[in-house]
Amino acid sequence: MKDDVRKYIYGAIIAFLAVVLSWIGIVYVSSCGVTLTCNRAAFKVDRTPIPTLIPATLPASGVSLPSAASSANPDTCRVPIVNFVGAWAVSEADEADPFYFVDEDGKNCEAVFSDVQVLFNQPNLRGANSLACVSCHSGDLTVAPAQLDLSSYAGIMAGSRREGNKPKGADLLGDGDWKASLLYDFLINEKTNIPGHEQALMADSLLSVGKPFAGVLPTPLP
Ligand code: HEC
């Protein structure tokens, strides 16, 4: 009699524990899956947001590169990236000298090479998650694809295909004919079979760059 009561009590306790454990198991598996390395409760890592380009068709919202601007801002210029790089390429301006372009609002504008370099140094130029040009085309020609160094003025001027570090390679800038240049081709066209070039540049993304120039434009424009 006494033993029977004890059996019932132990039975009840074991059944209760079994229910609790399986409940915990269900909760764990449903939130973590079948894994022992669940880190759902880990703190979220705060990351610096990566800047993105806004398509030209949207009203300028002030999140553009490299500095914020809108059509209403008279102190900066708005220009599609490919036109901007092209204006620099045909200008053949020295590294520190200004070059000129006409922006989306018809303003005469000026900028310098470092404004162009910024573009090659930053990710997402060709849409979300695209790598910075320089992460592949770095100054180390032993690893840079096509022996192309986009990390400096000298590197860009020296061109691509510089096997064995030779000082001069294939011209990138089209020798005055921007649309015939290698750089234009590799910015504007998708190259589905070349890693890093699956996406083309967002052709209509506007850049906020440079400053208005009061004067007659001295260089041919692309
Ligand atoms: C993920 C790596 C990667 C990234 C990022 C990348 N490229 Fe390339 N790029 C390549 C590869 C690979 C080739 C082809 C190499 C070959 O044909 O031997 C190439 C070729 C080129 C060429 C042609 C050179 C030639 O002589 O044929 C140009 C110009 C170029 N890239 C410019 C750029 C620019 C501008 C960017 C940034 C907007 C960029 N690349 C980003 C990997 C990359």
Side-chain angles (χ1 to χ4, degrees):
M1 182 58 198
K2 214 171 153 198
D3 270 359
D4 275 351
V5 171
R6 192 175 282 171
K7 250 189 221 154
Y8 279 127
I9 292 174
Y10 284 161
I13 290 173
I14 287 166
F16 177 71
L17 285 180
V19 167
V20 167
L21 285 179
S22 57
W23 173 249
I24 290 173
I26 288 166
V27 168
Y28 182 88
V29 170
S30 68
S31 69
C32 292
V34 188
T35 169
L36 291 176
T37 56
C38 181
N39 53 8
R40 281 243 171 147
F43 290 107
K44 235 179 107 212
V45 184
D46 268 336
R47 295 208 168 80
T48 316
I50 299 169
T52 47
L53 295 167
I54 46 162
T57 46
L58 292 178
S61 65
V63 271
S64 190
L65 294 165
S67 60
S70 70
S71 56
N73 188 343
D75 302 327
T76 186
C77 299
R78 304 184 314 141
V79 60
I81 293 181
V82 76
N83 296 10
F84 179 69
V85 179
W88 171 73
V90 299
S91 75
E92 290 169 11
D94 279 341
E95 184 165 2
D97 288 348
F99 65 94
Y100 305 90
F101 57 96
V102 178
D103 90 341
E104 282 291 290
D105 307 317
K107 279 201 297 259
N108 289 354
C109 296
E110 64 178 316
V112 287
F113 168 73
S114 58
D115 299 318
V116 175
Q117 183 66 65
V118 166
L119 302 174
F120 298 146
N121 293 354
Q122 60 156 47
N124 298 339
L125 200 62
R126 293 184 286 194
N129 304 325
S130 65
L131 288 172
C133 308
V134 297
S135 63
C136 293
H137 299 292
S138 68
D140 183 354
L141 293 189
T142 54
V143 294
Q147 295 86 38
L148 169 56
D149 170 16
L150 290 174
S151 70
S152 69
Y153 182 86
I156 296 168
M157 285 308 182
S160 63
R161 310 284 166 193
R162 290 160 58 206
E163 294 84 356
N165 256 325
K166 65 180 182 193
K168 198 89 188 114
D171 170 66
L172 287 184
L173 304 179
D175 215 1
D177 186 355
W178 171 233
K179 299 219 161 141
S181 70
L182 255 184
L183 189 55
Y184 178 83
D185 178 25
F186 275 74
L187 281 175
I188 210 77
N189 294 316
E190 278 171 22
K191 312 266 178 195
T192 40
N193 53 350
I194 302 183
H197 286 270
E198 298 92 341
Q199 283 172 290
L201 197 73
M202 295 178 288
D204 58 355
S205 52
L206 283 186
L207 201 60
S208 291
V209 72
K211 54 177 195 255
F213 169 73
V216 180
L217 298 187
T219 44
L221 300 164

